[in-house]
Every structure is written in structure tokens, then in C-alpha cells.
Amino acid sequence: MAKLTLDGMEVFDEVFKKLSNPGPAAKKAVEQSKGILRKSLQKEIRKAANRGYATGDLENSIVATKTKENEYGTYSVVMPVGTDRKGTRNGEKLAYLENGTSRQQAHPVRQAAVNNAEAECTEVIQKIMEEEMGAE
């Protein structure tokens, strides 16, 4: 659901290209960054949904998937899973929170979560790249 896009990633991309085998470094960077983004999204959901009726089911349903690779690179997805105690899908509830409904104002939590996690994720990625470049 949430997508982490960092400005200036071209610099990181160039450094990863210089590594003889960037896969392990990229996987390590994603592994360490996905938890930061997950916590940030949970915090934003808590702030937006805490109006006296929230049960915490949506916030607690946020997970980061296993780190994988495809033709575009290394990734993990931070998203809600499952249903709440009433059987409503948590992904659906996040969409309602994010985009609003005819009775509910929109509370865009995903971009806020990315913005709040960006600096810390960038630090983690930079540290990993420095370690990998020093190891060559």
C-alpha cells in the first residue's frame, strides 16, 4: 500500500551500480528500512483514526512483506492485511481513511508516513552503502 520514494535516489543507484554485487546491500537496506516505514504508517493511522471509535484493528494489521527481488529491483510492501473483528477488510478501511467517503473526510496517511520516514530511511541506506563500499 505505502510506497517509499526518496528524492536523490539516483545518487544511491549510482553507488549500488559501483558495487560488484549490489543485491545483498540492497536487500539489507530494504530489510532495515521497511520496519521504519511500517511504524510510521501505523503512527499516522493512529493519529488520523483516533476519534473515539477506532479499535486499533487497522493500525495493528500493518505488516511489511518479505523482501523480494524482481526486474525493477529489491522491494518490500508495507500494507494492511486481514479483516477486523466485524469482518471488514483492513485494506478497504485504509482506502476509506486515505480517500474519504461520502460521510468521512479524507485523511491521506500514506504520503505523511513516507514523508516522516524518509530521513531515517535515507540514513539507514547511506550507512549500509558506506559499509559496503568500505568492504570492497
PDB file of all heavy atoms in Angstrom, residues 90-104:
ATOM      1  N   ASN A  90      -9.170  -4.800   6.113  1.00  0.00           N
ATOM      2  CA  ASN A  90      -8.353  -3.673   6.563  1.00  0.00           C
ATOM      3  C   ASN A  90      -7.841  -2.842   5.392  1.00  0.00           C
ATOM      4  O   ASN A  90      -7.693  -1.626   5.524  1.00  0.00           O
ATOM      5  CB  ASN A  90      -7.210  -4.167   7.444  1.00  0.00           C
ATOM      6  CG  ASN A  90      -7.712  -4.614   8.796  1.00  0.00           C
ATOM      7  OD1 ASN A  90      -8.451  -3.907   9.460  1.00  0.00           O
ATOM      8  ND2 ASN A  90      -7.346  -5.811   9.195  1.00  0.00           N
ATOM      9  N   GLY A  91      -7.589  -3.451   4.255  1.00  0.00           N
ATOM     10  CA  GLY A  91      -7.187  -2.688   3.072  1.00  0.00           C
ATOM     11  C   GLY A  91      -8.279  -1.728   2.634  1.00  0.00           C
ATOM     12  O   GLY A  91      -8.013  -0.600   2.224  1.00  0.00           O
ATOM     13  N   GLU A  92      -9.510  -2.173   2.743  1.00  0.00           N
ATOM     14  CA  GLU A  92     -10.662  -1.338   2.402  1.00  0.00           C
ATOM     15  C   GLU A  92     -10.768  -0.161   3.383  1.00  0.00           C
ATOM     16  O   GLU A  92     -11.011   0.973   2.983  1.00  0.00           O
ATOM     17  CB  GLU A  92     -11.914  -2.216   2.475  1.00  0.00           C
ATOM     18  CG  GLU A  92     -13.167  -1.617   1.941  1.00  0.00           C
ATOM     19  CD  GLU A  92     -14.314  -2.620   1.968  1.00  0.00           C
ATOM     20  OE1 GLU A  92     -14.086  -3.847   1.984  1.00  0.00           O
ATOM     21  OE2 GLU A  92     -15.457  -2.152   1.980  1.00  0.00           O
ATOM     22  N   LYS A  93     -10.550  -0.436   4.657  1.00  0.00           N
ATOM     23  CA  LYS A  93     -10.612   0.622   5.668  1.00  0.00           C
ATOM     24  C   LYS A  93      -9.516   1.665   5.440  1.00  0.00           C
ATOM     25  O   LYS A  93      -9.755   2.866   5.596  1.00  0.00           O
ATOM     26  CB  LYS A  93     -10.502   0.027   7.069  1.00  0.00           C
ATOM     27  CG  LYS A  93     -11.743  -0.734   7.461  1.00  0.00           C
ATOM     28  CD  LYS A  93     -11.697  -1.476   8.762  1.00  0.00           C
ATOM     29  CE  LYS A  93     -10.768  -1.072   9.813  1.00  0.00           C
ATOM     30  NZ  LYS A  93     -10.867  -1.844  11.047  1.00  0.00           N
ATOM     31  N   LEU A  94      -8.320   1.212   5.033  1.00  0.00           N
ATOM     32  CA  LEU A  94      -7.250   2.160   4.746  1.00  0.00           C
ATOM     33  C   LEU A  94      -7.616   3.035   3.552  1.00  0.00           C
ATOM     34  O   LEU A  94      -7.372   4.239   3.562  1.00  0.00           O
ATOM     35  CB  LEU A  94      -5.921   1.451   4.494  1.00  0.00           C
ATOM     36  CG  LEU A  94      -4.732   2.366   4.208  1.00  0.00           C
ATOM     37  CD1 LEU A  94      -4.474   3.326   5.371  1.00  0.00           C
ATOM     38  CD2 LEU A  94      -3.491   1.564   3.911  1.00  0.00           C
ATOM     39  N   ALA A  95      -8.236   2.440   2.539  1.00  0.00           N
ATOM     40  CA  ALA A  95      -8.667   3.216   1.369  1.00  0.00           C
ATOM     41  C   ALA A  95      -9.700   4.259   1.773  1.00  0.00           C
ATOM     42  O   ALA A  95      -9.652   5.408   1.306  1.00  0.00           O
ATOM     43  CB  ALA A  95      -9.229   2.289   0.296  1.00  0.00           C
ATOM     44  N   TYR A  96     -10.638   3.906   2.641  1.00  0.00           N
ATOM     45  CA  TYR A  96     -11.637   4.862   3.111  1.00  0.00           C
ATOM     46  C   TYR A  96     -10.983   5.983   3.907  1.00  0.00           C
ATOM     47  O   TYR A  96     -11.327   7.147   3.761  1.00  0.00           O
ATOM     48  CB  TYR A  96     -12.689   4.183   3.986  1.00  0.00           C
ATOM     49  CG  TYR A  96     -13.547   3.174   3.282  1.00  0.00           C
ATOM     50  CD1 TYR A  96     -14.071   2.090   3.976  1.00  0.00           C
ATOM     51  CD2 TYR A  96     -13.840   3.279   1.927  1.00  0.00           C
ATOM     52  CE1 TYR A  96     -14.873   1.151   3.343  1.00  0.00           C
ATOM     53  CE2 TYR A  96     -14.633   2.344   1.287  1.00  0.00           C
ATOM     54  CZ  TYR A  96     -15.149   1.282   1.999  1.00  0.00           C
ATOM     55  OH  TYR A  96     -15.931   0.356   1.370  1.00  0.00           O
ATOM     56  N   LEU A  97     -10.035   5.626   4.759  1.00  0.00           N
ATOM     57  CA  LEU A  97      -9.333   6.627   5.557  1.00  0.00           C
ATOM     58  C   LEU A  97      -8.530   7.558   4.659  1.00  0.00           C
ATOM     59  O   LEU A  97      -8.572   8.776   4.808  1.00  0.00           O
ATOM     60  CB  LEU A  97      -8.408   5.934   6.573  1.00  0.00           C
ATOM     61  CG  LEU A  97      -7.641   6.836   7.527  1.00  0.00           C
ATOM     62  CD1 LEU A  97      -8.593   7.584   8.451  1.00  0.00           C
ATOM     63  CD2 LEU A  97      -6.668   5.997   8.361  1.00  0.00           C
ATOM     64  N   GLU A  98      -7.833   6.975   3.705  1.00  0.00           N
ATOM     65  CA  GLU A  98      -6.960   7.729   2.793  1.00  0.00           C
ATOM     66  C   GLU A  98      -7.752   8.643   1.862  1.00  0.00           C
ATOM     67  O   GLU A  98      -7.397   9.805   1.681  1.00  0.00           O
ATOM     68  CB  GLU A  98      -6.137   6.734   1.966  1.00  0.00           C
ATOM     69  CG  GLU A  98      -5.161   7.354   1.003  1.00  0.00           C
ATOM     70  CD  GLU A  98      -3.884   7.837   1.656  1.00  0.00           C
ATOM     71  OE1 GLU A  98      -3.561   7.439   2.785  1.00  0.00           O
ATOM     72  OE2 GLU A  98      -3.186   8.625   1.007  1.00  0.00           O
ATOM     73  N   ASN A  99      -8.803   8.136   1.268  1.00  0.00           N
ATOM     74  CA  ASN A  99      -9.531   8.864   0.218  1.00  0.00           C
ATOM     75  C   ASN A  99     -10.842   9.480   0.672  1.00  0.00           C
ATOM     76  O   ASN A  99     -11.428  10.279  -0.063  1.00  0.00           O
ATOM     77  CB  ASN A  99      -9.814   7.923  -0.959  1.00  0.00           C
ATOM     78  CG  ASN A  99      -8.536   7.346  -1.504  1.00  0.00           C
ATOM     79  OD1 ASN A  99      -7.594   8.069  -1.785  1.00  0.00           O
ATOM     80  ND2 ASN A  99      -8.480   6.032  -1.641  1.00  0.00           N
ATOM     81  N   GLY A 100     -11.326   9.092   1.834  1.00  0.00           N
ATOM     82  CA  GLY A 100     -12.594   9.599   2.328  1.00  0.00           C
ATOM     83  C   GLY A 100     -13.767   8.861   1.710  1.00  0.00           C
ATOM     84  O   GLY A 100     -13.615   8.032   0.823  1.00  0.00           O
ATOM     85  N   THR A 101     -14.938   9.162   2.202  1.00  0.00           N
ATOM     86  CA  THR A 101     -16.190   8.602   1.683  1.00  0.00           C
ATOM     87  C   THR A 101     -17.195   9.748   1.628  1.00  0.00           C
ATOM     88  O   THR A 101     -16.866  10.887   1.950  1.00  0.00           O
ATOM     89  CB  THR A 101     -16.738   7.492   2.607  1.00  0.00           C
ATOM     90  OG1 THR A 101     -17.124   8.077   3.860  1.00  0.00           O
ATOM     91  CG2 THR A 101     -15.732   6.385   2.834  1.00  0.00           C
ATOM     92  N   SER A 102     -18.419   9.437   1.271  1.00  0.00           N
ATOM     93  CA  SER A 102     -19.450  10.481   1.241  1.00  0.00           C
ATOM     94  C   SER A 102     -19.745  11.014   2.641  1.00  0.00           C
ATOM     95  O   SER A 102     -20.234  12.131   2.794  1.00  0.00           O
ATOM     96  CB  SER A 102     -20.734   9.934   0.614  1.00  0.00           C
ATOM     97  OG  SER A 102     -21.235   8.852   1.384  1.00  0.00           O
ATOM     98  N   ARG A 103     -19.417  10.227   3.667  1.00  0.00           N
ATOM     99  CA  ARG A 103     -19.669  10.653   5.054  1.00  0.00           C
ATOM    100  C   ARG A 103     -18.399  10.913   5.855  1.00  0.00           C
ATOM    101  O   ARG A 103     -18.466  11.329   6.994  1.00  0.00           O
ATOM    102  CB  ARG A 103     -20.489   9.592   5.776  1.00  0.00           C
ATOM    103  CG  ARG A 103     -21.827   9.366   5.136  1.00  0.00           C
ATOM    104  CD  ARG A 103     -22.674   8.379   5.891  1.00  0.00           C
ATOM    105  NE  ARG A 103     -21.929   7.335   6.570  1.00  0.00           N
ATOM    106  CZ  ARG A 103     -22.471   6.380   7.294  1.00  0.00           C
ATOM    107  NH1 ARG A 103     -23.768   6.324   7.422  1.00  0.00           N
ATOM    108  NH2 ARG A 103     -21.734   5.461   7.869  1.00  0.00           N
ATOM    109  N   GLN A 104     -17.251  10.643   5.271  1.00  0.00           N
ATOM    110  CA  GLN A 104     -15.989  10.757   6.009  1.00  0.00           C
ATOM    111  C   GLN A 104     -14.986  11.569   5.216  1.00  0.00           C
ATOM    112  O   GLN A 104     -14.783  11.331   4.028  1.00  0.00           O
ATOM    113  CB  GLN A 104     -15.430   9.340   6.256  1.00  0.00           C
ATOM    114  CG  GLN A 104     -14.071   9.307   6.906  1.00  0.00           C
ATOM    115  CD  GLN A 104     -13.579   7.883   7.094  1.00  0.00           C
ATOM    116  OE1 GLN A 104     -14.307   7.020   7.545  1.00  0.00           O
ATOM    117  NE2 GLN A 104     -12.327   7.645   6.743  1.00  0.00           N
TER     118      GLN A 104
END
